[in-house]
Amino acid sequence: MAQWESWSAFWDMGGAAFFVWGSYGVTFALMALELVLVLRRRKDTVTRLLRWRRAVGKDSARKTGASVPVMESET
Amino acid sequence: MLSTFLAVLRRDLLLAWRGRADVLVTLAFFVIVVCLFPFGVGAEPNQLRAIAPGVLWVAALLACLLSLHRLFAQDYADGTLEQLLLSSEPAALWVTAKVLAFWLSTGLPVVAVAPGLALLLDLEQGALPVLVLSLALGTPILGLLGAVGAALTLGLRGGGMLLALLVLPLFVPVLIFGAGAVEAEMSGAGAAAHLLLLGGGLAGALALAPWACAAALRITTD
Amino acid sequence: MLSTFLAVLRRDLLLAWRGRADVLVTLAFFVIVVCLFPFGVGAEPNQLRAIAPGVLWVAALLACLLSLHRLFAQDYADGTLEQLLLSSEPAALWVTAKVLAFWLSTGLPVVAVAPGLALLLDLEQGALPVLVLSLALGTPILGLLGAVGAALTLGLRGGGMLLALLVLPLFVPVLIFGAGAVEAEMSGAGAAAHLLLLGGGLAGALALAPWACAAALRITTD
Amino acid sequence: MLEVEDLACLKGDRLLFRDLALRLQAGELLRIAGPNGVGKTSLLRLVTGLALPEAGEIRWRGESIRREREAFHRELLYLGHAPAINDLLSPLENLRFACAAAGDEVDAETCMQALVRIGLENQLDLPARVLSQGQRRRVSLARLFLSGRRALWVLDEPFTALDVKAVADLAQALSDHCAAGGMVMLTTHQDAPFALTPRVLDVGAYAC
Amino acid sequence: MLEVEDLACLKGDRLLFRDLALRLQAGELLRIAGPNGVGKTSLLRLVTGLALPEAGEIRWRGESIRREREAFHRELLYLGHAPAINDLLSPLENLRFACAAAGDEVDAETCMQALVRIGLENQLDLPARVLSQGQRRRVSLARLFLSGRRALWVLDEPFTALDVKAVADLAQALSDHCAAGGMVMLTTHQDAPFALTPRVLDVGAYAC
Amino acid sequence: MNAPERSRSLFRFAAPNNFYPLAGRLAPWFAAAALVLTLAGLWLGFFVAPTDATQGQVYRVIFIHVPAAWMSMFIYLVMAFWSAVGLVMNTRLSFVMSQALAPTGAMFCFVALWTGALWGKPTWGAYWVWDARLTSQLLLLFLYFGFIALTRAIEDPRRADRAGAIIALVGAVNVPIIYFSVQWWNTLHQGASVSLTKAPSMATTMLAGMLVMAIAAWMYTIAVVLWRARSMILERERHTEWVGAVLEHEAQLKGGRA
Ligand code: HEM
Ligand SMILES: Nc1ncnc2c1ncn2[C@@H]1O[C@H](COP(=O)(O)OP(=O)(O)OP(=O)(O)O)[C@@H](O)[C@H]1O
Ligand SMILES: Nc1ncnc2c1ncn2[C@@H]1O[C@H](COP(=O)(O)OP(=O)(O)OP(=O)(O)O)[C@@H](O)[C@H]1O
Ligand SMILES: [Mg+2]
Ligand SMILES: [Mg+2]
């Protein structure tokens, strides 16, 4: 607490509370939101793909898995 | 009666949701046009503040105008419009549903972001509510009038542009009262009169435009 | 080599002539947007004069932007684009022809009427040649860059608007130098540097954009 | 029930046909024949009321269709060249909307069954944009299974893009509709295995 | 001359076909068959090089078409579902442009003859917008009479909307092209009176 | 996510089936590093760094503003780099990387704008002025939006990849042009009336806090992008057997937990 007399002084930020906490708040909220979205997307993808695989039948998967060329290229 | 109205409204909103990109991009267009102005005009705050209401309203008008041609184009091209005209309900009914869906998906977002952009142009905060109100009353009028133009220009060669030419003169009064309301508020004269006029215009457009539009559609598909 | 170029150029000019309405209406749009401003902003001569170069350039840019989506849309819808891509000539060649025809039919008229509108906004007469020159150098850049955007957004849902979003940031430098040239001339600083930069930009765009556009078209029809 | 008298159709400066007359009774299947460009599509659009004739009169159950438009349209089902399919919507959504917009009350389940019956069971949820030509066509044709109570079906080249089996099914459905007292008026250049032989009207006979 | 090996086509989630192989020799007429949605159009677009295959190789005169694109396209004539007709231009203008854009040097007189031969003598100067479906189709088909030196014709449902006589004429033209050493690859659901029996490739056999 | 050394290993990991598990293993570590560094940076920023002589406390926004601004610019370059690699070498993984980077870049871009705006109000008296640096940041946001909107609007992933790559490259060519034009535009109009007021000599603790936060932002970006890329890879490679195996494994895990 070298910089601050008290917690209330800290939260007040020398009168600039709105600007400082507004910045930090939105930033961390956005980052958290992004993290949540990314992780949820993964879960969604997995469930959706599982359902899809059940639907189309596993044998329609192509036999390329093991032999994916090292540098995969299309054509 | 209502079932066609609801069917059309539901489908058009569904389509707007499917084509979210469309809606977001109308919005982006609005934002970008507003942001272009400082580049053309120069970044001096006083000057920007003075032209802000006009720029915002012109940008909203253009954004609305440019999405208008989408109102019937797709349905016309794929034959849905023919089918709707073969329905036994009065056409004015589902036309209203289409315009309503259109406004909800393009006008409303524009109204919603306008205050943010106003800050970018340094408009006084006191004038923000009037700006929002004037846009909320004015953009539906644009949609209703524009629908008539869109119906008349369906399938014509110069379609989108001809539409602009037809409806811009009709839009001018809306622009004058809309931007005027904000300027009146800024100058301290009070915006009530302007807003009342806009409200009256909306009521009038709502009563007349759907019929005109329905007639125009029948002519177009002949 | 040249035969495809000429065939495309001739046909597109013929189409522009057939669809005269289109061309006139692009122009009308330009005129109307410029004329809207006094309504939105208020008619004070000094203020108008100050914002005149910016308004003219923004209006030209929007007019160009709005006609851009027509560049390939029709050919894409009716399959002509596929046929052109199956031609054995390099695609960059006929892309250039299309852009050239596009500019001749929409950019050139805008350049031609700009001085008249400038007088309407009370721009000094001394700055008119610079205005015309800046537009004549700048609008082809807009066309070339825009063609890339138009090719990328072909057949997409939010088509026209997505195009606007993609290319507007790219148009900003052109706008800055274009409007800047006129303002520099008005302020007595001389417009040579701006115009040179625009010329350089045009050369660069001419060298690169057709290739990017051709690549984009191949991707789009895949 | 449907009577057409003295009909003339002018396109640009060309009079396509004139003095065309026809009557369509309940249970009849009428095929409009004639070479390309003779005016079959134009005739159908006149009959549905989408276009206005140059001369002549069209009556439905004795009333001019211009005077009793709504009553006529309640009994009419028209499928033209344009499939009335929105590219962003799935077949199911398209079909439900088509029915609702026309005023037929049909629930999702029934629509689904119609689509399955017409062979789109695997495409129910794809956007229509990715469908093949034949599949698009089928989506609009599915309305036929849901519009039994509409007496008059007017179909412009319904067999286009359909494969052999689908053509046979459709021909069967049309025959069934007629057998149940409906009326069908269609154009086609293809042969289709109808159960009842269609009456043929050659537009060429009225050409000018 | 045209060899296709191990071709696979993926659309969205669905692998339409895989391990598809075909060879087309000079003088052969190949009909791609299969029910709606099996992947015929997709196959044709792969063969022309307009779309990229998921796997497999397409060779023209022994060279991969991706490597020798220009040489291949000089010998290819593709007519797809979309007619490549501009609504504002007349049939004559459309045809001349189609030839010029493809790189065929054809003068106006020859184009006119081709249009007359295909039955559009009265529509030469109308804007394409007002043509009937069959007439539009004919405009694009007229290119066939002007592209004799292109060896490979790839046609997607060329008989759509054509009347009986036009179907017969077109079938004759295709047979003639093969007889002259050309190759034709087409899809159709209709029967057409070909002079030589087409070899049939059923895409369904390679479906997954 | 900058270009790793061009060694053999790059080529091995360029195959999605090798990259996928590797990314899964690495991402949590980067996330943890980001968390630790953020806490350290915040501590430095709020409790060690002194009050600024001219600006008072409000300057403490700098600890996120500057890292976010740096990241947003850098991510665009990396994105364009991967796009170019993808177009030239035909590697699908490169496209996945560039598309996975875009949302995070846009997020940082927005954060830089937002924090800058909040900082500007007390220091300049306005949330926004049309200063060159601010303006080019805004245009960068539009470039991000354009890229994201385009790749989202195209359904076919192959087409989306290539179209996105083209617009990313065109944008990258334009970024410097935009930057310089905007700078010139501004100076032309109002001289140097507005410029970012830098603390004359930044206290070393301030600088340290800023750098630590910048590294934290790096770590965060890498973690998020790896995770996002993993989902995208699953989606795109769903036809392959190795994805089948991965999915079965996931299903078992879920079944085990339930
Ligand atoms: C919306 C408003 C703002 C935006 C978009 C913005 C944008 C940026 C950008 C892009 C950078 C990195 C540029 C570089 O390193 O070359 C930056 C750095 C910086 N900004 Fe801002 N800024 C804004 C407002 C402010 C304000 C109001 C201040 C302080 C009064 C400020 C202070 C700084 C400082 C000190 C740096 C670090 C400069 C350096 O290390 O070179 N910014 N800002
Ligand atoms: N403005 C015009 N001037 C001259 N002729 C016209 C004009 N508009 C249309 N036509 C002609 O009218 C006819 C329209 O025919 P319609 O579409 O009804 O034919 P159709 O019998 O359905 O033919 P298809 O079997 O090809 O579908 C065409 O022959 C067309 O050339
Ligand atoms: N994104 C997608 N997801 C799933 N299936 C798809 C997707 N895109 C296309 N398809 C399917 O791929 C097939 C495309 O078929 P194509 O157009 O090649 O058929 P076709 O054999 O030419 O049929 P037709 O005889 O009807 O013309 C259709 O069955 C369609 O449903
Ligand atoms: Mg017809
Ligand atoms: Mg097909």
PDB file of all heavy atoms in Angstrom, chain C residues 32-56:
ATOM      1  N   ILE C  32     -28.019  14.389 -55.554  1.00  0.00           N
ATOM      2  CA  ILE C  32     -28.975  14.502 -54.457  1.00  0.00           C
ATOM      3  C   ILE C  32     -28.270  14.506 -53.105  1.00  0.00           C
ATOM      4  O   ILE C  32     -28.616  15.278 -52.219  1.00  0.00           O
ATOM      5  CB  ILE C  32     -30.002  13.353 -54.531  1.00  0.00           C
ATOM      6  CG1 ILE C  32     -30.866  13.547 -55.776  1.00  0.00           C
ATOM      7  CG2 ILE C  32     -30.876  13.359 -53.307  1.00  0.00           C
ATOM      8  CD1 ILE C  32     -31.924  12.513 -55.930  1.00  0.00           C
ATOM      9  N   VAL C  33     -27.279  13.640 -52.959  1.00  0.00           N
ATOM     10  CA  VAL C  33     -26.582  13.625 -51.671  1.00  0.00           C
ATOM     11  C   VAL C  33     -25.985  14.990 -51.401  1.00  0.00           C
ATOM     12  O   VAL C  33     -26.106  15.544 -50.303  1.00  0.00           O
ATOM     13  CB  VAL C  33     -25.489  12.543 -51.645  1.00  0.00           C
ATOM     14  CG1 VAL C  33     -24.630  12.697 -50.412  1.00  0.00           C
ATOM     15  CG2 VAL C  33     -26.123  11.171 -51.648  1.00  0.00           C
ATOM     16  N   VAL C  34     -25.346  15.570 -52.417  1.00  0.00           N
ATOM     17  CA  VAL C  34     -24.756  16.891 -52.212  1.00  0.00           C
ATOM     18  C   VAL C  34     -25.844  17.894 -51.846  1.00  0.00           C
ATOM     19  O   VAL C  34     -25.683  18.712 -50.945  1.00  0.00           O
ATOM     20  CB  VAL C  34     -23.996  17.344 -53.470  1.00  0.00           C
ATOM     21  CG1 VAL C  34     -23.551  18.784 -53.327  1.00  0.00           C
ATOM     22  CG2 VAL C  34     -22.807  16.452 -53.712  1.00  0.00           C
ATOM     23  N   CYS C  35     -26.976  17.796 -52.524  1.00  0.00           N
ATOM     24  CA  CYS C  35     -28.043  18.764 -52.265  1.00  0.00           C
ATOM     25  C   CYS C  35     -28.710  18.533 -50.917  1.00  0.00           C
ATOM     26  O   CYS C  35     -29.311  19.445 -50.350  1.00  0.00           O
ATOM     27  CB  CYS C  35     -29.093  18.713 -53.361  1.00  0.00           C
ATOM     28  SG  CYS C  35     -28.433  19.209 -54.943  1.00  0.00           S
ATOM     29  N   LEU C  36     -28.631  17.305 -50.398  1.00  0.00           N
ATOM     30  CA  LEU C  36     -29.251  17.034 -49.098  1.00  0.00           C
ATOM     31  C   LEU C  36     -28.549  17.806 -47.989  1.00  0.00           C
ATOM     32  O   LEU C  36     -29.160  18.146 -46.983  1.00  0.00           O
ATOM     33  CB  LEU C  36     -29.163  15.543 -48.765  1.00  0.00           C
ATOM     34  CG  LEU C  36     -30.276  14.626 -49.243  1.00  0.00           C
ATOM     35  CD1 LEU C  36     -30.047  13.239 -48.704  1.00  0.00           C
ATOM     36  CD2 LEU C  36     -31.616  15.146 -48.786  1.00  0.00           C
ATOM     37  N   PHE C  37     -27.259  18.023 -48.182  1.00  0.00           N
ATOM     38  CA  PHE C  37     -26.501  18.566 -47.075  1.00  0.00           C
ATOM     39  C   PHE C  37     -27.001  19.884 -46.559  1.00  0.00           C
ATOM     40  O   PHE C  37     -27.171  20.053 -45.347  1.00  0.00           O
ATOM     41  CB  PHE C  37     -25.014  18.589 -47.384  1.00  0.00           C
ATOM     42  CG  PHE C  37     -24.438  17.407 -46.768  1.00  0.00           C
ATOM     43  CD1 PHE C  37     -24.413  16.211 -47.441  1.00  0.00           C
ATOM     44  CD2 PHE C  37     -24.069  17.435 -45.452  1.00  0.00           C
ATOM     45  CE1 PHE C  37     -24.002  15.082 -46.828  1.00  0.00           C
ATOM     46  CE2 PHE C  37     -23.648  16.304 -44.835  1.00  0.00           C
ATOM     47  CZ  PHE C  37     -23.604  15.113 -45.523  1.00  0.00           C
ATOM     48  N   PRO C  38     -27.251  20.822 -47.437  1.00  0.00           N
ATOM     49  CA  PRO C  38     -27.790  22.076 -46.932  1.00  0.00           C
ATOM     50  C   PRO C  38     -29.038  21.856 -46.073  1.00  0.00           C
ATOM     51  O   PRO C  38     -29.212  22.531 -45.067  1.00  0.00           O
ATOM     52  CB  PRO C  38     -28.105  22.844 -48.213  1.00  0.00           C
ATOM     53  CG  PRO C  38     -27.145  22.319 -49.208  1.00  0.00           C
ATOM     54  CD  PRO C  38     -26.985  20.878 -48.867  1.00  0.00           C
ATOM     55  N   PHE C  39     -29.874  20.865 -46.430  1.00  0.00           N
ATOM     56  CA  PHE C  39     -31.059  20.612 -45.620  1.00  0.00           C
ATOM     57  C   PHE C  39     -30.687  20.112 -44.230  1.00  0.00           C
ATOM     58  O   PHE C  39     -31.286  20.496 -43.244  1.00  0.00           O
ATOM     59  CB  PHE C  39     -31.958  19.570 -46.287  1.00  0.00           C
ATOM     60  CG  PHE C  39     -32.555  20.036 -47.559  1.00  0.00           C
ATOM     61  CD1 PHE C  39     -32.185  19.460 -48.758  1.00  0.00           C
ATOM     62  CD2 PHE C  39     -33.461  21.069 -47.565  1.00  0.00           C
ATOM     63  CE1 PHE C  39     -32.728  19.890 -49.942  1.00  0.00           C
ATOM     64  CE2 PHE C  39     -34.011  21.514 -48.745  1.00  0.00           C
ATOM     65  CZ  PHE C  39     -33.638  20.927 -49.952  1.00  0.00           C
ATOM     66  N   GLY C  40     -29.731  19.206 -44.189  1.00  0.00           N
ATOM     67  CA  GLY C  40     -29.372  18.640 -42.892  1.00  0.00           C
ATOM     68  C   GLY C  40     -28.574  19.604 -42.041  1.00  0.00           C
ATOM     69  O   GLY C  40     -28.758  19.686 -40.839  1.00  0.00           O
ATOM     70  N   VAL C  41     -27.670  20.346 -42.691  1.00  0.00           N
ATOM     71  CA  VAL C  41     -26.666  21.095 -41.939  1.00  0.00           C
ATOM     72  C   VAL C  41     -27.087  22.545 -41.735  1.00  0.00           C
ATOM     73  O   VAL C  41     -26.610  23.219 -40.827  1.00  0.00           O
ATOM     74  CB  VAL C  41     -25.319  21.002 -42.691  1.00  0.00           C
ATOM     75  CG1 VAL C  41     -24.324  21.955 -42.134  1.00  0.00           C
ATOM     76  CG2 VAL C  41     -24.806  19.579 -42.612  1.00  0.00           C
ATOM     77  N   GLY C  42     -27.984  23.015 -42.565  1.00  0.00           N
ATOM     78  CA  GLY C  42     -28.316  24.436 -42.502  1.00  0.00           C
ATOM     79  C   GLY C  42     -27.604  25.160 -43.621  1.00  0.00           C
ATOM     80  O   GLY C  42     -26.551  24.720 -44.088  1.00  0.00           O
ATOM     81  N   ALA C  43     -28.167  26.261 -44.047  1.00  0.00           N
ATOM     82  CA  ALA C  43     -27.753  26.830 -45.326  1.00  0.00           C
ATOM     83  C   ALA C  43     -26.760  27.986 -45.203  1.00  0.00           C
ATOM     84  O   ALA C  43     -26.610  28.776 -46.135  1.00  0.00           O
ATOM     85  CB  ALA C  43     -28.985  27.291 -46.094  1.00  0.00           C
ATOM     86  N   GLU C  44     -26.049  28.054 -44.104  1.00  0.00           N
ATOM     87  CA  GLU C  44     -25.143  29.201 -43.950  1.00  0.00           C
ATOM     88  C   GLU C  44     -23.960  29.118 -44.923  1.00  0.00           C
ATOM     89  O   GLU C  44     -23.209  28.146 -44.913  1.00  0.00           O
ATOM     90  CB  GLU C  44     -24.613  29.208 -42.516  1.00  0.00           C
ATOM     91  CG  GLU C  44     -24.244  30.568 -42.011  1.00  0.00           C
ATOM     92  CD  GLU C  44     -23.519  30.401 -40.692  1.00  0.00           C
ATOM     93  OE1 GLU C  44     -24.001  29.597 -39.872  1.00  0.00           O
ATOM     94  OE2 GLU C  44     -22.474  31.023 -40.509  1.00  0.00           O
ATOM     95  N   PRO C  45     -23.765  30.139 -45.781  1.00  0.00           N
ATOM     96  CA  PRO C  45     -22.776  30.035 -46.861  1.00  0.00           C
ATOM     97  C   PRO C  45     -21.351  29.744 -46.378  1.00  0.00           C
ATOM     98  O   PRO C  45     -20.665  28.916 -46.969  1.00  0.00           O
ATOM     99  CB  PRO C  45     -22.838  31.398 -47.541  1.00  0.00           C
ATOM    100  CG  PRO C  45     -24.165  31.951 -47.183  1.00  0.00           C
ATOM    101  CD  PRO C  45     -24.511  31.404 -45.850  1.00  0.00           C
ATOM    102  N   ASN C  46     -20.939  30.392 -45.306  1.00  0.00           N
ATOM    103  CA  ASN C  46     -19.553  30.178 -44.874  1.00  0.00           C
ATOM    104  C   ASN C  46     -19.312  28.749 -44.463  1.00  0.00           C
ATOM    105  O   ASN C  46     -18.314  28.129 -44.837  1.00  0.00           O
ATOM    106  CB  ASN C  46     -19.234  31.090 -43.686  1.00  0.00           C
ATOM    107  CG  ASN C  46     -18.831  32.454 -44.178  1.00  0.00           C
ATOM    108  OD1 ASN C  46     -18.315  32.575 -45.295  1.00  0.00           O
ATOM    109  ND2 ASN C  46     -19.091  33.470 -43.372  1.00  0.00           N
ATOM    110  N   GLN C  47     -20.266  28.246 -43.693  1.00  0.00           N
ATOM    111  CA  GLN C  47     -20.127  26.865 -43.242  1.00  0.00           C
ATOM    112  C   GLN C  47     -20.150  25.920 -44.447  1.00  0.00           C
ATOM    113  O   GLN C  47     -19.324  25.009 -44.554  1.00  0.00           O
ATOM    114  CB  GLN C  47     -21.279  26.539 -42.312  1.00  0.00           C
ATOM    115  CG  GLN C  47     -21.024  25.276 -41.528  1.00  0.00           C
ATOM    116  CD  GLN C  47     -22.145  25.026 -40.546  1.00  0.00           C
ATOM    117  OE1 GLN C  47     -23.305  25.286 -40.824  1.00  0.00           O
ATOM    118  NE2 GLN C  47     -21.785  24.520 -39.399  1.00  0.00           N
ATOM    119  N   LEU C  48     -21.065  26.171 -45.362  1.00  0.00           N
ATOM    120  CA  LEU C  48     -21.146  25.306 -46.534  1.00  0.00           C
ATOM    121  C   LEU C  48     -19.846  25.327 -47.313  1.00  0.00           C
ATOM    122  O   LEU C  48     -19.341  24.289 -47.749  1.00  0.00           O
ATOM    123  CB  LEU C  48     -22.295  25.762 -47.441  1.00  0.00           C
ATOM    124  CG  LEU C  48     -23.682  25.306 -47.020  1.00  0.00           C
ATOM    125  CD1 LEU C  48     -24.712  25.761 -48.021  1.00  0.00           C
ATOM    126  CD2 LEU C  48     -23.714  23.800 -46.880  1.00  0.00           C
ATOM    127  N   ARG C  49     -19.292  26.524 -47.492  1.00  0.00           N
ATOM    128  CA  ARG C  49     -18.062  26.616 -48.279  1.00  0.00           C
ATOM    129  C   ARG C  49     -16.955  25.814 -47.603  1.00  0.00           C
ATOM    130  O   ARG C  49     -16.175  25.139 -48.251  1.00  0.00           O
ATOM    131  CB  ARG C  49     -17.648  28.075 -48.453  1.00  0.00           C
ATOM    132  CG  ARG C  49     -16.518  28.222 -49.439  1.00  0.00           C
ATOM    133  CD  ARG C  49     -16.248  29.682 -49.790  1.00  0.00           C
ATOM    134  NE  ARG C  49     -17.474  30.443 -49.933  1.00  0.00           N
ATOM    135  CZ  ARG C  49     -17.732  31.576 -49.255  1.00  0.00           C
ATOM    136  NH1 ARG C  49     -16.842  32.052 -48.400  1.00  0.00           N
ATOM    137  NH2 ARG C  49     -18.870  32.207 -49.442  1.00  0.00           N
ATOM    138  N   ALA C  50     -16.941  25.904 -46.270  1.00  0.00           N
ATOM    139  CA  ALA C  50     -15.868  25.208 -45.552  1.00  0.00           C
ATOM    140  C   ALA C  50     -15.981  23.698 -45.727  1.00  0.00           C
ATOM    141  O   ALA C  50     -14.972  23.000 -45.846  1.00  0.00           O
ATOM    142  CB  ALA C  50     -15.917  25.576 -44.071  1.00  0.00           C
ATOM    143  N   ILE C  51     -17.216  23.191 -45.736  1.00  0.00           N
ATOM    144  CA  ILE C  51     -17.321  21.738 -45.820  1.00  0.00           C
ATOM    145  C   ILE C  51     -17.491  21.246 -47.258  1.00  0.00           C
ATOM    146  O   ILE C  51     -17.567  20.046 -47.511  1.00  0.00           O
ATOM    147  CB  ILE C  51     -18.474  21.194 -44.943  1.00  0.00           C
ATOM    148  CG1 ILE C  51     -19.833  21.680 -45.446  1.00  0.00           C
ATOM    149  CG2 ILE C  51     -18.282  21.564 -43.498  1.00  0.00           C
ATOM    150  CD1 ILE C  51     -21.001  21.027 -44.730  1.00  0.00           C
ATOM    151  N   ALA C  52     -17.523  22.174 -48.212  1.00  0.00           N
ATOM    152  CA  ALA C  52     -17.822  21.782 -49.595  1.00  0.00           C
ATOM    153  C   ALA C  52     -16.894  20.690 -50.148  1.00  0.00           C
ATOM    154  O   ALA C  52     -17.381  19.682 -50.681  1.00  0.00           O
ATOM    155  CB  ALA C  52     -17.815  22.993 -50.499  1.00  0.00           C
ATOM    156  N   PRO C  53     -15.565  20.834 -50.058  1.00  0.00           N
ATOM    157  CA  PRO C  53     -14.726  19.783 -50.667  1.00  0.00           C
ATOM    158  C   PRO C  53     -15.006  18.424 -50.043  1.00  0.00           C
ATOM    159  O   PRO C  53     -15.128  17.415 -50.755  1.00  0.00           O
ATOM    160  CB  PRO C  53     -13.298  20.232 -50.349  1.00  0.00           C
ATOM    161  CG  PRO C  53     -13.391  21.667 -49.990  1.00  0.00           C
ATOM    162  CD  PRO C  53     -14.754  21.890 -49.429  1.00  0.00           C
ATOM    163  N   GLY C  54     -15.150  18.421 -48.716  1.00  0.00           N
ATOM    164  CA  GLY C  54     -15.413  17.163 -48.041  1.00  0.00           C
ATOM    165  C   GLY C  54     -16.724  16.553 -48.497  1.00  0.00           C
ATOM    166  O   GLY C  54     -16.796  15.360 -48.814  1.00  0.00           O
ATOM    167  N   VAL C  55     -17.764  17.369 -48.553  1.00  0.00           N
ATOM    168  CA  VAL C  55     -19.075  16.839 -48.934  1.00  0.00           C
ATOM    169  C   VAL C  55     -19.035  16.299 -50.360  1.00  0.00           C
ATOM    170  O   VAL C  55     -19.536  15.204 -50.639  1.00  0.00           O
ATOM    171  CB  VAL C  55     -20.144  17.937 -48.786  1.00  0.00           C
ATOM    172  CG1 VAL C  55     -21.429  17.499 -49.442  1.00  0.00           C
ATOM    173  CG2 VAL C  55     -20.371  18.243 -47.329  1.00  0.00           C
ATOM    174  N   LEU C  56     -18.415  17.051 -51.253  1.00  0.00           N
ATOM    175  CA  LEU C  56     -18.356  16.588 -52.641  1.00  0.00           C
ATOM    176  C   LEU C  56     -17.620  15.266 -52.736  1.00  0.00           C
ATOM    177  O   LEU C  56     -18.056  14.330 -53.416  1.00  0.00           O
ATOM    178  CB  LEU C  56     -17.663  17.632 -53.512  1.00  0.00           C
ATOM    179  CG  LEU C  56     -18.522  18.836 -53.871  1.00  0.00           C
ATOM    180  CD1 LEU C  56     -17.669  19.941 -54.449  1.00  0.00           C
ATOM    181  CD2 LEU C  56     -19.581  18.404 -54.885  1.00  0.00           C
TER     182      LEU C  56
END
